[in-house]
Amino acid sequence: MIRSVVVGCGSYLPERVLTNADLAKLVDTSDEWIVERTGIRQRHIAAEGEQTSDLALHAAKAALANAKLSADEIDLIVLATATPDETFPATACRVQAGLGMTRGFAFDVQAVCSGFVYALATADNFIKAGQAKTALVIGAETFSRIIDWTDRTTCVLFADGAGALVLKAEEGAGSINDRGVLTTHLHSDGRYHDLLYVDGGPSSTQTTGNLRMLGREVFRHAVVNLADVVKETLAAVGMQATDIDWLVPHQANKRIIDGTARKLGLSTDQVVLTVERHGNTSAASVPLALAEAAADGRIKRGDVVLLEAMGGGFTWGSALIRW
Ligand code: UT7
């Protein structure tokens, strides 16, 4: 069978760093509260005029260089974002143009913080169906643009960044020993709109709107949904938690990540944690973490890597990859 093998990854963080101490000057919060409740110590914020496609383009170029491929060898770009440059066209098309890529096709997917897992599943299915042989899968966000900077319950959490993977079709035996994406699992439940949403949009208010979240409620659902989807993922391929080398979770809250790792019986050094330095970068958080752990040599060829994420919609999902 055809497998989508990861042949490169890259990431980009805007230069400007915003610390918890900086935030304590803006709203009634403290470094102690943010670290204790979330694990976040600092985050990166895009410069004025720096757009989601700019961050995505940096990450895409880094991933292509890492894969030793040129843009004209890519058939498909799937870009996950909830903060596109414009209502349309897709930010993916701006990245395509920025790469100088005049063939193939590019589109965005919108599943908020689960976006990268959705984009990866989408690209994997295009590759398995034979409609693309190579794909660039990107998660890129400028959440700083949709944050209400007077709301301490959300402005301390979210941030900006981008990460990208390059997938390439390779023939596999159809077993769990194959390299590549082994399985993906996606879920959504639209009944939970009011717990995490943006209060604006082209068709509703004709404004961009601001992020609104009932954090405690989202937390409660995240813990349950992530545990369920991880169980479903392992069962689908007949693996045990002990087969996992690395957990690369969506980086929303260290407490959620610790809880998921504990349930799986994974040690903390098997978890790729970036939330302390990146904050919650929504669809960018998983590929940012992947790129970091692949670049520093933690994730090695042949390792089993479990990705999971949960976000607005609600949406949630997971992917299991043999690196
Ligand atoms: O990425 C998409 C998915 N999103 C998530 O997974 C986020 C899930 N939720 C969370 O990570 C956590 O619920 C939060 C980090 C958002 C909040 O942590 P919490 O432990 O659930 O706190 P809480 O909302 O229950 O608030 C506790 C207290 C409240 O005060 P009272 O009502 O107890 O007096 C808040 O007003 O903390 C207060 N508070 C703050 N205090 C200082 C809320 N935000 C802040 C703040 N600084 N920034």
Side-chain angles (χ1 to χ4, degrees):
M1 71 177 288
I2 301 173
R3 293 290 194 187
S4 312
V5 175
V6 178
V7 293
C9 45
S11 63
Y12 178 78
L13 288 162
E15 244 170 68
R16 185 178 160 217
V17 171
L18 192 70
T19 65
N20 291 349
D22 296 331
L23 280 163
K25 290 177 206 148
L26 291 178
V27 289
D28 179 17
T29 191
S30 65
D31 179 53
E32 294 72 29
W33 190 94
I34 302 170
V35 172
E36 190 195 311
R37 301 292 177 125
T38 72
I40 302 168
R41 293 181 185 276
Q42 62 165 59
R43 70 285 289 143
H44 291 252
I45 303 294
E48 207 181 311
E50 195 174 31
Q51 299 184 23
T52 295
S53 66
D54 298 317
L55 311 189
L57 190 56
H58 282 296
K61 284 179 175 170
L64 286 171
N66 184 240
K68 299 188 176 62
L69 286 176
S70 64
D72 56 15
E73 291 174 281
I74 297 296
D75 298 328
L76 163 67
I77 299 176
V78 187
L79 186 147
T81 191
T83 46
D85 292 10
E86 298 160 333
T87 302
F88 78 78
T91 301
C93 293
R94 302 201 78 185
V95 173
Q96 183 189 25
L99 289 172
M101 180 180 153
T102 53
R103 56 182 294 281
F105 58 110
F107 61 90
D108 289 356
V109 302
Q110 157 63 295
V112 205
C113 297
S114 313
F116 186 77
V117 174
Y118 269 63
L120 181 71
T122 304
D124 178 45
N125 282 312
F126 271 100
I127 286 176
K128 282 201 217 141
Q131 262 187 285
K133 286 199 161 38
T134 49
L136 194 52
V137 187
I138 307 171
E141 303 278 15
T142 47
F143 258 53
S144 61
R145 305 275 155 70
I146 55 164
I147 290 304
D148 174 353
W149 287 100
T150 64
D151 175 10
R152 70 172 182 174
T153 70
T154 53
C155 77
V156 302
L157 305 173
F158 295 94
D160 305 338
L165 291 190
V166 181
L167 299 178
K168 194 162 184 281
E170 281 183 21
E171 200 61 45
S175 85
I176 54 170
N177 298 318
D178 289 348
R179 287 186 68 211
V181 177
L182 298 176
T183 188
T184 59
H185 298 266
L186 305 180
H187 294 275
S188 68
D189 190 337
R191 290 175 299 173
Y192 296 105
H193 168 276
D194 293 358
L195 301 186
L196 179 49
Y197 66 103
V198 168
D199 61 2
S203 179
S204 52
T205 58
Q206 298 82 57
T207 62
T208 307
N210 289 127
L211 183 149
R212 304 293 171 205
M213 177 167 79
L214 295 174
R216 202 180 308 185
E217 287 300 304
V218 178
F219 189 109
R220 210 163 52 79
H221 284 274
V223 171
V224 175
N225 291 343
L226 292 172
D228 285 352
V229 80
V230 163
K231 213 185 290 170
E232 177 191 336
T233 304
L234 291 172
V237 292
M239 279 193 183
Q240 312 294 322
T242 48
D243 296 317
I244 300 169
D245 294 301
W246 297 101
L247 174 67
V248 185
H250 169 49
Q251 310 280 327
N253 188 316
K254 188 171 182 298
R255 288 187 290 144
I256 298 176
I257 296 172
D258 288 346
T260 307
R262 212 177 307 118
K263 279 195 189 125
L264 285 166
L266 298 178
S267 67
T268 47
D269 55 9
Q270 287 179 281
V271 181
V272 180
L273 199 70
T274 55
V275 69
E276 298 149 306
R277 287 166 290 117
H278 298 176
N280 182 347
T281 58
S282 180
S285 91
V286 168
L288 268 163
L290 273 175
E292 189 172 289
D296 67 20
R298 270 178 289 173
I299 300 179
K300 294 183 190 66
R301 189 186 170 103
D303 282 355
V304 173
V305 184
L306 177 67
L307 319 181
E308 43 87 333
M310 148 100 194
F314 284 155
T315 55
W316 64 103
S318 72
L320 196 67
I321 304 175
R322 187 177 291 282
W323 206 254

